Amino acid sequence: MSAPAPEDHAALLRAIGPLPLSGQAWPDWVRILTWVVLAVLGVQVVTTAIRAPSQQPYDTLLIAAVALCFLGLLFVSWHMQTSITTIDERGLRQTWFTRREVAWEDVRYARFVPMVFSKRLVVFTHRGRPMIFQGGTRELRAAFLKIAEVYTSGG
């Protein structure tokens, strides 16, 4: 699979629109649902802990494990809330736990994957490592479709 011709790549950037194009990585409804689920889980954990009568030796370990899992979910939820995807002349970027970034010249193949909770662009680089970018806005999803069309056909 070869990279698209320079004129095809330039046409792609023009078709995407004024660059840089940035937007939330996750749709609003998914970000809200994430916090609702986290709140329900938090209430459930607290009410279960209050009603638990026993003081077994393993209770402390169980409480620590549940608290650690809840903190992990909180960490993921925070990053879903604040993650931004950007498309510009240099390539694609998304803030996440670590920064996801791929330059246009490193893109070998791209595929748009329209999942229920997330519309994503899977980008395969020349190094063979796929990178996944989330598109939470209509503009990002439209751009992802155009990118996948150009980088699937190889130009």
Side-chain angles (χ1 to χ4, degrees), residues 15-145:
I16 289 173
L19 297 177
L21 172 62
S22 290
Q24 291 290 336
W26 296 88
D28 289 338
W29 72 271
V30 171
R31 296 179 323 155
I32 292 167
L33 181 63
T34 300
W35 289 109
V36 169
V37 168
L38 193 63
V40 168
L41 285 173
V43 168
Q44 184 65 38
V45 166
V46 169
T47 57
T48 301
I50 290 171
R51 285 189 260 156
S54 66
Q55 289 296 327
Q56 303 292 329
Y58 59 85
D59 284 349
T60 305
L61 184 59
L62 180 62
I63 290 168
V66 169
L68 187 61
C69 289
F70 190 78
L71 286 174
L73 288 172
L74 184 63
F75 180 76
V76 170
S77 298
W78 175 255
H79 282 285
M80 286 178 76
Q81 185 69 31
T82 61
S83 185
I84 301 291
T85 301
T86 302
I87 301 170
D88 62 19
E89 295 85 2
R90 295 175 305 184
L92 298 106
R93 291 185 308 282
Q94 181 179 330
T95 57
W96 193 237
F97 308 139
T98 59
R99 189 173 180 89
R100 296 178 184 175
E101 188 167 10
V102 65
W104 289 116
E105 55 270 9
D106 292 336
V107 177
R108 181 176 55 90
Y109 175 80
R111 182 165 181 219
F112 180 68
V113 182
M115 299 178 73
V116 173
F117 290 101
S118 146
K119 308 303 184 219
R120 46 183 73 178
L121 182 69
V122 180
V123 176
F124 295 88
T125 64
H126 290 288
R127 290 176 256 152
R129 183 174 160 243
M131 299 196 81
I132 299 171
F133 297 92
Q134 312 292 337
T137 66
R138 182 175 293 134
E139 295 80 13
L140 282 172
R141 290 189 294 270
F144 284 1
L145 280 167

